[in-house]
Amino acid sequence: MDKATSGWLNGFMGVVIFSGSLPATRVAVAELPPVFLTSARACIAAILGLLLLALFRQPRPRVPDLPALAITALGVVVGFPLLTALALQHVTSAHAMVFLGLLPLCTALFAVLRGGESPRPAFWLFSVLGGVFVAGYAARQGLSASLHGDLLMLAAILVCGLGYAEGANLSRRLGGWQVISWALALSLPIMLPIALLTVPADLAHVSTPAWTGLAYVSLFSMLLGFVFWYRGLAQGGIAAVGQLQLLQPFMGLGLAAALLHEEVSWVMLVVTLGAVSCVAGARRYAR
């Protein structure tokens, strides 16, 4: 199997795993405070990552790699999980899922700024058009009705795109699972005290679905998904493989409807389909 094909397959597996993140977060945040949920998932994943690093005797990252690891941690370990958890207190996971249509464009922008990639002009035309679909959907829903949640989702997309591009660029030197494991380890001294300070007083009354949601975002969303995702981005190109993220709303909307019984309107499906079509066109001009 050639490197490019392997990159697309790894990227697809990462997207499949990530598609359950927002529904699982929605379930967990119904009973667990967002700050505790964010810090707890980071701590659990960090402990597992440290065990992997020790088991496979991975060398420590070099000092020049630490700033990139810190940016990766701020983007995908802290920023995106916290901002989405806060947003999901105001909007449904189905509503938030459509905002993921902006993530490929955001990732591609940071691929240029931080990864040195240079897609052709037609790529940006398709990518921007896909973003317009998402913005149009948000405007149609009435931003004043969920302005807080929508702004939090937009901020989450921005920091996530930066974390994806920075981590993928670093993965070319350190390896995909090593990057997320070191980023988690770097955040542990900060996230552990926060988790301990924000433990809910009624923790014993948290339901099984909420614990299941926490387990999913800790093991799959925070660790295993990145094993495939960063490897795929590093192999196939950040801007190119990043377009696979447009499949995530389809998968996530299906999960939200099946597991959370949330309403998925025809408008959501049309917008997502339009965004996917635009990014499919952009994929052709990604390099």
Side-chain angles (χ1 to χ4, degrees):
M1 184 184 300
D2 62 84
K3 187 176 180 180
T5 302
S6 178
W8 282 97
L9 289 176
N10 279 298
F12 180 76
M13 285 300 301
V15 169
V16 170
I17 293 172
F18 290 152
S19 65
S21 298
L22 288 183
T25 300
R26 176 73 171 175
V27 171
V29 82
E31 300 182 42
L32 297 170
V35 176
F36 172 75
L37 177 63
T38 301
S39 54
R41 67 186 277 182
C43 290
I44 294 170
I47 293 171
L48 294 174
L50 284 170
L51 290 174
L52 287 174
L53 291 169
L55 179 63
F56 291 99
R57 301 179 182 274
Q58 295 298 300
R60 293 180 181 180
R62 300 175 302 164
V63 173
D65 292 330
L66 293 180
L69 280 173
I71 293 174
T72 302
L74 287 173
V76 302
V77 177
V78 181
F80 184 76
L82 178 59
L83 290 169
T84 52
L86 292 170
L88 288 170
Q89 292 186 315
H90 304 278
V91 299
T92 66
S93 62
H95 179 89
M97 199 71 63
V98 183
F99 279 83
L100 296 179
L102 292 172
L103 194 49
L105 175 59
C106 187
T107 303
L109 286 171
F110 285 115
V112 173
L113 296 174
R114 304 293 299 179
E117 297 188 4
S118 53
R120 285 180 279 176
F123 169 87
W124 300 110
L125 175 63
F126 282 108
S127 293
V128 170
L129 189 58
V132 168
F133 271 99
V134 178
Y137 167 78
R140 186 182 186 279
Q141 296 301 303
L143 288 176
S144 59
S146 57
L147 179 60
H148 196 181
D150 288 343
L151 289 177
L152 286 168
M153 280 304 304
L154 288 173
I157 295 303
L158 183 64
V159 299
C160 187
L162 174 60
Y164 279 171
E166 198 72 29
N169 193 39
L170 195 58
S171 295
R172 292 166 178 159
R173 299 195 301 275
L174 299 183
W177 72 267
Q178 293 92 334
V179 166
I180 190 59
S181 296
W182 284 120
L184 287 163
L186 192 63
S187 68
L188 186 59
I190 298 174
M191 303 305 281
L192 182 57
I194 294 175
L196 294 175
L197 289 172
T198 57
V199 175
D202 57 345
L203 201 60
H205 298 92
V206 176
S207 67
T208 299
W211 286 122
T212 303
L214 174 59
Y216 187 92
V217 296
S218 301
L219 178 59
F220 292 94
S221 305
M222 199 78 268
L223 184 61
L224 293 181
F226 282 101
V227 173
F228 295 100
W229 184 239
Y230 276 150
R231 182 174 176 81
L233 292 176
Q235 289 178 327
I238 300 169
V241 176
Q243 306 313 303
L244 283 170
Q245 294 167 108
L246 258 294
L247 298 176
Q248 191 170 330
F250 275 125
M251 300 173 187
L253 288 172
L255 287 172
L259 301 179
L260 305 181
H261 307 292
E262 294 183 359
E263 180 182 357
V264 179
S265 68
W266 67 268
V267 177
M268 290 181 182
L269 295 176
V270 169
V271 170
T272 305
L273 179 60
V276 168
S277 300
C278 289
V279 178
R283 173 175 171 257
R284 179 179 179 184
Y285 302 100
R287 290 194 173 191

